[in-house]
Amino acid sequence: EVQLLESGGGLVQPGRSLRLSCAASGFPFGDYHVDWVRQAPGKGLEWVSGISDSSNSVGYADSVKGRFIISRDNSKNSLFLQMNSLRPEDTAVYYCTKGKRTDWGAFDHWGQGILVTVSS
Amino acid sequence: DIQMTQSPSTLSASVGDRVTITCRASQSISSWLAWYQQKPGKAPKVLIYHASTLESGVPSRFSGSASGTEFTLIISSLQPDDFATYYCQQYSDYPWTFGQGTEVEI
């Protein structure tokens, strides 16, 4: 069974940093593209960042480019999101997602989500 | 960036109704489009990918189609479990983008 378990969320002051982690299991993690998607309270879904299976291709939403860094450790079946210079508008539930094998931008598994609150 | 314009934002329907949700891309995305269903407090669930391929385990009352840059999700006969919010998402080019969502309500 595929499982994606996010950790590292919480309350942080504006301008500070936070690192999210996602522990993956139940599938060959190193063979799949993985992404972060977020959802602000009461709002729609926003794609944040994605990384290819071998880390040679990464992408970012314009809203986080230059502030967030995505990375992965295939030896530990883990995905990370380093979030710097956090803003109140970054407050959201952050989901770790797994892409399909052939349509790696279509997310067939999602974590339960973790809340990040940016507030003074 | 590719913009995804989804309509309507809210849809009132009854059990048994045929429901149509539309998503328009601001430029060509070929068939690189997925549809998701989300219920309150839950993570989204993929219904359709590659514009018209039904995800394993998803009921056959859900279908997707494409015509140029316009994409459609159809629920052929709405069931009580289908009241939720639906999102389209393009994955043709970074940054990948979602539509604004369509809430299907009674």
Side-chain angles (χ1 to χ4, degrees):
Chain A
E1 179 193 4
V2 172
Q3 290 195 336
L4 299 167
L5 185 61
E6 302 95 342
S7 61
L11 175 63
V12 61
Q13 293 180 328
R16 304 297 291 266
S17 298
L18 206 60
R19 190 191 196 210
L20 300 184
S21 299
C22 173
S25 60
F27 67 102
F29 180 74
D31 290 349
Y32 287 86
H33 189 108
V34 283
D35 295 70
W36 292 97
V37 175
R38 69 184 181 184
Q39 187 168 37
K43 302 296 184 183
L45 300 172
E46 180 187 18
W47 176 81
V48 174
S49 182
I51 186 167
S52 62
D53 51 1
S54 57
S55 301
N56 60 4
S57 175
V58 298
Y60 297 95
D62 293 345
S63 58
V64 308
K65 197 174 294 183
R67 300 188 298 123
F68 289 11
I69 300 171
I70 192 171
S71 62
R72 64 190 295 165
D73 184 341
N74 289 344
S75 69
K76 296 181 179 178
N77 292 344
S78 295
L79 173 68
F80 306 101
L81 186 68
Q82 178 66 41
M83 303 186 294
N84 301 322
S85 302
L86 282 162
R87 305 167 180 169
E89 55 264 36
D90 295 318
T91 294
V93 172
Y94 285 73
Y95 293 101
C96 171
T97 68
K98 167 190 166 292
K100 296 184 70 64
R101 177 65 69 93
T102 54
D103 288 57
W104 33 269
F107 312 132
D108 60 2
H109 288 87
W110 298 60
Q112 85 286 351
I114 194 156
L115 179 62
V116 171
T117 303
V118 184
S119 174
S120 54
Chain B
D1 298 0
I2 299 173
Q3 309 302 318
M4 303 302 295
T5 303
Q6 189 173 338
S7 61
S9 55
T10 306
L11 189 158
S12 296
S14 301
V15 172
D17 283 354
R18 178 183 175 90
V19 167
T20 300
I21 300 170
T22 299
C23 205
R24 182 173 285 108
S26 61
Q27 65 189 71
S28 175
I29 59 170
S30 187
S31 295
W32 303 114
L33 183 114
W35 289 97
Y36 300 87
Q37 177 193 68
Q38 186 180 32
K39 296 181 179 179
K42 300 291 187 182
K45 167 188 169 183
V46 68
L47 302 173
I48 301 281
Y49 64 95
H50 211 70
S52 60
T53 302
L54 192 68
E55 174 72 354
S56 176
V58 173
S60 59
R61 62 181 180 273
F62 292 93
S63 64
S65 65
S67 177
T69 59
E70 185 166 299
F71 300 83
T72 302
L73 173 70
I74 293 174
I75 310 172
S76 60
S77 178
L78 197 67
Q79 298 301 300
D81 190 49
D82 302 337
F83 290 95
T85 300
Y86 295 84
Y87 296 92
C88 63
Q89 176 231 339
Q90 69 81 18
Y91 50 97
S92 171
D93 290 307
Y94 278 152
W96 294 336
T97 44
F98 287 90
Q100 306 95 310
T102 295
E103 183 180 4
V104 177
E105 60 181 23
I106 300 173

